[in-house]
Amino acid sequence: MLCRLVASVGVASVRPRPLPLAVRSISGEPSWEHVDPAQRSGQGRQPVAKRTLFGAMGRNDAVTAKRALASVDLKSLSVVEHSKLIKLFAHANDLRSMEELYEAMPEPDIVVFASVIKANLRHGQLHRAADLLERMMACGIQPDNSRLAAGILQHLSYQPDLDGQDRVLALVPSLVHSSDLPRFNDEMRFMEGFEAKERYLSLMRRVGLRPSIVACNIMIDAAAKKVDLPRAGRYFAQIKDLGLEPDTRSYTSLIEALGRAGKYNGCFETAKTMRANGVPLSEVTYVQLMLVAGMDSRLELVQALLRECLEKFPTPSPRVYLQAMIGFVKCRDIHAARDCLVDMRRRGIELEVAHAHELAKAVFHYTSSGRRAAEALLKLLTEAKGAGRQQLNDEERIMLRQLLGERVEGVAKEAVTAEGEASRTRARTSRQETATARSEDVIKGTE
């Protein structure tokens, strides 16, 4: 009957709506047929504000969630929903809303405490963070790992000399598990800034954690990146002070620090010490040594290091071959670089495009003749793309034009633009032939 009524008023079609709450009959009374029983009794319905709140939580939209929260009874929220909202406002740096939710929560769990404590630490509220730590301990909540303690030390490392730091540090040892020392090392590894890492290591000592060789290696590597050879040497010596022996990572980071500081002979002496002490050389160690040998223009040493690395690692990473080829180029031996590229392909190892760019820059920078540099640059890059990918893409053409424009004018640019110019010539010829054919057709039709 409803379909006949719709057709009588001239409506062509009606789009069906899934699961209507109530379908009204022609008399106007609601008909609850085909409706879920829970919906008929009123159960299962959620207020609009609560639905909006849950949608905002799913989208991590703190602004909409705060607006919707004003119309929601906090007592109706579960512990999990409370925790999610507190984490949402903590990440959005809305301390006021976060604190209101925290105070309204009858029994906060470890997730809530961790979120509120870290948010206060981020904003420099160290005394408030200490109060929360004391309340958490008073409630008998003890973390099952040192994740919270590692996060607290990380925040304190970025904000030194703040009022209340000693009070927070006095509470951290009760949260530390000695078995979770790798977690502290991971936190320090991903921190930004050498000074922040140094403060983190100092704070680890203050809470009773003895630095491991991993922590010292992280500091040596950070000092090498900063080209701070004295500090790198100091942390290397600290490994022996702790009663430990330097490992491959320790020596490799020290070689990098020496190479960046221009102490090439020191790099090779460190490698001799590694062999004398029975410490194995890794692929990264060989890469660093070939880098230094190339900078020092020692062609025979680059070749010897490459042979030794290939004997030890039959299927090395592309980075080993890349550094060897760059070393050959720096020694002005393009033929050795080409032979290295052929051997790499013979072993089934393909050079990535990013590595090809790096190699191309080295070829251009260290080759004296402009024309020869441009030709070698193009050839090596196209060969590195692989047999099935000989064409250069637009990004690589732009890169090559920029490189050639820095050093070579005129003739060298023709090596880059030759392919594009030939393509444009072919297109012009094709258009001219098409236009001629059309003109002939027009003339024949007129005749």
Side-chain angles (χ1 to χ4, degrees):
M1 181 181 295
L2 181 60
C3 294
R4 289 198 298 271
L5 179 61
V6 170
S8 65
V9 296
V11 179
S13 62
V14 177
R15 180 178 298 176
R17 297 182 180 180
L19 295 178
L21 287 178
V23 180
R24 291 191 174 273
S25 64
I26 297 178
S27 62
E29 294 296 327
S31 172
W32 295 99
E33 295 178 358
H34 311 296
V35 179
D36 188 86
Q39 294 182 356
R40 295 186 200 179
S41 61
Q43 299 175 0
R45 300 182 187 178
Q46 293 181 344
V48 176
K50 206 166 186 179
R51 291 202 301 271
T52 305
L53 176 63
F54 293 156
M57 289 166 60
R59 299 188 305 270
N60 292 326
D61 186 355
V63 177
T64 305
K66 183 177 181 179
R67 233 177 4 245
L69 196 61
S71 305
V72 175
D73 184 10
L74 296 181
K75 295 180 180 179
S76 65
L77 298 176
S78 66
V79 176
V80 176
E81 292 163 355
H82 255 102
S83 301
K84 288 182 178 180
L85 279 170
I86 288 175
K87 288 183 68 176
L88 175 63
F89 289 128
H91 290 146
N93 295 321
D94 189 348
L95 290 184
R96 183 176 179 181
S97 301
M98 180 195 69
E99 291 284 356
E100 289 176 357
L101 278 170
Y102 166 75
E103 295 297 339
M105 196 171 183
E107 296 181 0
D109 56 4
I110 182 61
V111 176
V112 172
F113 273 115
S115 300
V116 179
I117 289 170
K118 290 180 181 179
N120 279 281
L121 287 173
R122 265 200 311 272
H123 289 267
Q125 306 294 328
L126 269 63
H127 285 291
R128 174 59 177 163
D131 293 339
L132 292 166
L133 280 170
E134 291 173 351
R135 181 179 173 184
M136 183 184 73
M137 295 173 185
C139 293
I141 299 175
Q142 182 69 24
D144 57 353
N145 55 45
S146 300
R147 183 176 181 179
L148 176 59
I152 291 173
L153 295 187
Q154 184 186 37
H155 287 297
L156 294 178
S157 301
Y158 286 120
Q159 302 181 75
D161 303 326
L162 287 179
D163 184 32
Q165 186 180 93
D166 294 336
R167 187 182 168 200
V168 174
L169 287 175
L171 299 169
V172 171
S174 60
L175 307 175
V176 172
H177 298 261
S178 57
S179 60
D180 285 338
L181 187 60
R183 183 177 296 277
F184 290 90
N185 295 332
D186 291 339
E187 288 282 350
M188 184 169 63
R189 179 180 290 109
F190 296 108
M191 289 178 65
E192 296 181 0
F194 182 81
E195 288 74 14
K197 289 182 179 180
E198 269 199 326
R199 287 193 292 268
Y200 190 92
L201 192 62
S202 174
L203 293 175
M204 284 177 61
R205 291 193 181 96
R206 287 186 61 179
V207 298
L209 288 172
R210 183 171 176 263
S212 65
I213 189 172
V214 177
C216 293
N217 289 344
I218 292 171
M219 296 308 301
I220 297 170
D221 186 66
K225 297 292 189 295
K226 197 182 176 185
V227 197
D228 193 339
L229 184 56
R231 286 184 177 178
R234 189 179 74 210
Y235 282 107
F236 186 84
Q238 198 174 100
I239 295 176
K240 293 187 176 181
D241 295 340
L242 294 171
L244 304 172
E245 289 297 327
D247 58 5
T248 303
R249 177 71 183 272
S250 309
Y251 281 107
T252 303
S253 298
L254 182 61
I255 289 172
E256 182 182 0
L258 290 165
R260 287 174 178 263
K263 307 292 184 181
Y264 300 146
N265 291 329
C267 296
F268 305 129
E269 291 297 326
T270 303
K272 289 181 182 178
T273 305
M274 285 184 70
R275 293 187 175 94
N277 294 337
V279 180
L281 278 70
S282 65
E283 282 190 9
V284 180
T285 311
Y286 283 109
V287 166
Q288 291 294 334
L289 289 172
M290 284 189 287
L291 171 64
V292 173
M295 294 296 295
D296 203 22
S297 300
R298 299 175 67 171
L299 178 62
E300 294 80 6
L301 185 55
V302 176
Q303 294 172 335
L305 288 168
L306 179 60
R307 283 195 301 269
E308 184 181 342
C309 182
L310 293 179
E311 290 175 0
K312 192 173 182 180
F313 306 101
T315 56
S317 65
R319 189 74 197 180
V320 173
Y321 275 106
L322 172 66
Q323 197 57 64
M325 286 186 283
I326 291 177
F328 292 141
V329 169
K330 289 180 178 179
C331 296
R332 302 326 196 255
D333 194 339
I334 298 293
H335 297 290
R338 286 176 55 82
D339 294 341
C340 187
L341 185 62
V342 171
D343 182 67
M344 183 189 72
R345 289 212 182 138
R346 184 178 59 80
R347 294 173 183 261
I349 302 172
E350 287 294 334
L351 201 64
E352 298 178 2
V353 176
H355 293 164
H357 286 181
E358 191 173 345
L359 175 60
K361 291 178 183 178
V363 172
F364 184 80
H365 184 73
Y366 288 97
T367 308
S368 57
S369 171
R371 177 184 286 275
R372 192 170 66 227
E375 292 174 355
L377 180 69
L378 284 170
K379 197 157 190 177
L380 278 172
L381 182 56
T382 52
E383 287 179 357
K385 295 276 285 186
R389 300 177 59 193
Q390 295 296 325
Q391 299 293 330
L392 297 175
N393 58 35
D394 293 338
E395 180 185 355
E396 290 162 349
R397 289 195 185 93
I398 293 172
M399 186 273 296
L400 292 174
R401 288 194 187 99
Q402 290 174 348
L403 286 174
L404 295 175
E406 292 175 1
R407 293 276 303 277
V408 185
E409 296 294 336
V411 179
K413 291 187 177 181
E414 295 176 2
V416 180
T417 59
E419 182 185 350
E421 188 62 36
S423 177
R424 286 192 291 272
T425 303
R426 287 193 298 270
R428 281 197 300 270
T429 304
S430 177
R431 286 196 297 270
Q432 289 173 359
E433 291 176 353
T434 303
T436 303
R438 287 180 180 175
S439 300
E440 292 175 354
D441 291 340
V442 172
I443 293 172
K444 289 179 181 178
T446 304
E447 293 175 351

